[in-house]
Amino acid sequence: MKRIGGLLLVSIFAGVITLGAYKFFFEKPNYAIVTSNDSQPIFSTNYSPTSALGSGINEVDFTNAAERTVNSVVHVKNLTLSARRSSVFDFFYGSGGTVTPQVGTGSGVIISQDGYIVTNNHVIANATQLQVTLNNNQTFEAELVGTDPNSDIALIKINTEDKLPYLAFGDSDNTKIGEWVLAVGNPFNLTSTVTAGIVSAKARSLDTRSNQSFIQTDAAVNPGNSGGALVNTNGDLIGINTAISSQTGSYVGYSFAVPSNIAKKVVNDIMEYGNVRKAFMGISPAPVDTRDAIERGINNIDGVYIESIEEESGADDAGLELGDIIKKVDQIDIHKYPDLTGYLGTKRPNDTINVTVERNQELLTIPVILKERQLLIVPAMGMEVKNLTKDDQKRFRTKNGVKITGVPERYRGYGLEGKVIVKVDEKDIKDISDADTAFGAISRYGKTIITMLNEKGERERLIFQ
């Protein structure tokens, strides 16, 4: 009996070990996460990972877009001669100092098979020589066709008998937040570099004074990527990479591109008219991040609150009113001012847009005929200038030039306000379009000579560093 009892105990013990081994090694566990006050399972982990379910789920193929893009993106070298001043006398009178050559690099995108290339204005600014290297290592001298400092877009051209690969402009208005994109360029002189990310935001403004409208992505962009291509997974050009937001000067997660619809309009204007024709609506928005806006209850408005309307502008002619809130332009929803300026950047004078405004809690759709702008804050120096009226032309005895109507604090005391600028360096100024281009080309290192007329018709020259 003792022997039988011992065998029974051994059998039971072996059975327990066998059952435990089966449970441990062969049966799938079913874990659950529960809260302290609820015994019901919240999340079960007994499902296979999605990677084991086959390809095609949340996967994007970048190879075709990359193949189409890399051969259409070029390396741009810019040789400039910069003057460095060493004393306060050099600053005010432009004397002395040394001139040194500097080489800058960036990227560009071929947009036609005969050699037109779009890039950033800051990539080619003040160039004495431009050189373009294709992806097959062929190198060409390039000529500047035209530039728009305000949008930071420039058009250059190389001459070759070969038909070049190029990218077609896509429709940046159809770009969606969360959409996959590729940034292609030449960061740190590393040619044909492709990085991927998503569209993080649209109509992003980096400067409250200019209210430019950028596409924001998290695709890695570094110095040298400027002027390169931002494309979608179809290989359509939806933006020109322009800027990064960084305290170190290198990529930290945010990059910005000029939308393709704006770049395309600028390029078409340069090719057709020789300069950029800017359409102007004639309204100014109320700042929404001020104490005054909070007190007036307009700091959280969804749309653009019209604070002022310029006389004889398109908005004035159409009957828009102070206090109107712009909610939509054509089919574009307007949530903030860069939404509006980004869309207007694709239009020309005499174009008609349908503006939907909220007035007295009602929605009204009003057609507005856009006009050419008469007032401008010039790049670099930040002065406000306007086109000459007929009275101005008589008083200053000139048909060409722009009148200074506002001067920032740092330039007050020079006696600038009320005078007419007729030349910046060697460029004659006919109107605010010329002024925009000339001031946008000012070098940070060289001197700038501004020629003005006073009310007696006398010429004055000021030299700025």
Side-chain angles (χ1 to χ4, degrees), residues 197-273:
I198 62 168
V199 174
S200 305
K202 294 176 65 178
R204 182 71 79 198
S205 176
L206 303 181
D207 185 345
T208 56
R209 292 175 301 174
S210 66
N211 283 293
Q212 287 175 283
S213 181
F214 293 103
I215 297 172
Q216 179 184 331
T217 80
D218 64 354
V221 169
N222 278 293
N225 270 113
S226 291
L230 185 73
V231 300
N232 58 22
T233 53
N234 294 325
D236 300 322
L237 181 64
I238 62 168
I240 301 298
N241 295 316
T242 296
I244 57 177
S245 179
S246 170
Q247 294 179 340
T248 64
S250 296
Y251 173 76
V252 292
Y254 303 100
S255 58
F256 303 90
V258 177
S260 60
N261 286 0
I262 294 177
K264 180 181 178 181
K265 188 263 180 183
V266 169
V267 167
N268 286 341
D269 278 2
I270 290 172
M271 295 181 71
E272 187 171 349
Y273 304 107

Side-chain angles (χ1 to χ4, degrees), residues 332-350:
I332 304 298
D333 292 326
I334 305 298
H335 302 288
K336 52 189 182 296
Y337 193 46
D339 289 327
L340 177 61
T341 58
Y343 187 67
L344 292 179
T346 67
K347 299 298 179 181
R348 289 182 175 140
N350 299 319

Side-chain angles (χ1 to χ4, degrees), residues 75-84 99-107 122-133 139 141 186 188-189 223-224 443-445:
H75 193 206
V76 180
K77 287 186 179 180
N78 169 2
L79 175 65
T80 62
L81 299 177
S82 299
R84 295 184 178 275
V99 176
T100 56
Q102 291 188 334
V103 177
T105 62
S107 303
H122 75 262
V123 170
I124 55 84
N126 307 305
T128 55
Q129 183 182 0
L130 286 173
Q131 195 176 78
V132 166
T133 302
T139 298
E141 296 296 319
N186 304 280
F188 306 116
N189 287 322
S443 171
R444 291 181 299 169
Y445 303 109

